[in-house]
Amino acid sequence: DIQMTQSPSSLSASVGDRVTITCQASQDITNYLNWYQHKPGKAPKLLIYDGSNLETGVPSRFSGGGFGTDFTLTISSLQPEDVATYYCQQFDILPPIFGPGTKVHIK
Amino acid sequence: EVQLVESGGGLVQPGGSLRLSCAASGFTFNRHSFNWVRQAPGRGLEWISYIAGSSDTVYYADSVQGRFTISRDNGKNALYLQMNNLRAEDTAVYYCARDMVGVGRVVCDLWGQGTLVTVSS
């Protein structure tokens, strides 16, 4: 199975800060990488698919990048409603493994 | 309204069985493949099963292979997960998740709110 790692595991930043989360795959997955946002008690939400495509309705402060094995999710200006856990997920090869998650807090 | 609503969770003893359902509405159900994804307490998301639109292709995670069965009824706009021989480690919130149409891979663009399964004596 492909292994997915994320860093950091948690972060704390101020409102308005630029925040970047990284995700690394254990082998080349081209751009078959999704990012999800998950708030406690809520349904997970797709933010980014195919590495860099913004899902419809997702605020433009979210962006994704990368190719091959290294990927990033960036929030250009952190907002209070962005407090959540963020997961990357590869969908190149079954099983579609999720990363361990990054918890984002507000300072 | 476009939505997925899971049901069927609850408390079950180890070795027992449970059947989860997911009711879909607001979109053309048979155009999409679906997945079950779970989250154990304090853990991250774990994909456990996939079913194609016509049910001709199904996949399972190793952790549930041979114990869980995914199915769907396109006439009823419903997805199911039959869970047998349940273990304590199956305790989790179970989510049904719709795949983006036309991708042919697991890209979950719509999720339900989840249903809690607790396996305990």
Side-chain angles (χ1 to χ4, degrees), chain B residues 3-118:
Chain B
Q3 64 177 357
L4 298 171
V5 179
E6 301 95 336
S7 61
L11 175 64
V12 61
Q13 291 188 338
S17 299
L18 214 52
R19 189 195 196 204
L20 305 183
S21 299
C22 174
S25 59
F27 62 94
T28 305
F29 184 76
N30 60 15
R31 293 188 67 199
H32 297 267
S33 55
F34 281 85
N35 304 272
W36 287 99
V37 177
R38 68 184 180 185
Q39 183 178 35
R43 306 289 296 274
L45 299 173
E46 178 191 17
W47 170 87
I48 58 171
S49 189
Y50 162 96
I51 187 167
S54 57
S55 302
D56 57 342
T57 302
V58 297
Y59 297 115
Y60 298 96
D62 288 346
S63 58
V64 305
Q65 179 77 50
R67 300 187 299 124
F68 291 11
T69 303
I70 191 171
S71 62
R72 62 190 293 164
D73 185 334
N74 287 345
K76 295 182 177 179
N77 290 350
L79 176 72
Y80 305 102
L81 185 68
Q82 177 66 44
M83 304 186 295
N84 297 331
N85 191 20
L86 283 160
R87 305 166 179 167
E89 54 265 36
D90 295 318
T91 295
V93 175
Y94 285 73
Y95 298 96
C96 66
R98 182 188 78 174
D99 278 332
M100 186 177 286
V101 68
V103 176
R105 296 173 189 253
V106 178
V107 181
C108 300
D109 67 348
L110 179 68
W111 297 65
Q113 296 280 0
T115 187
L116 176 63
V117 172
T118 303

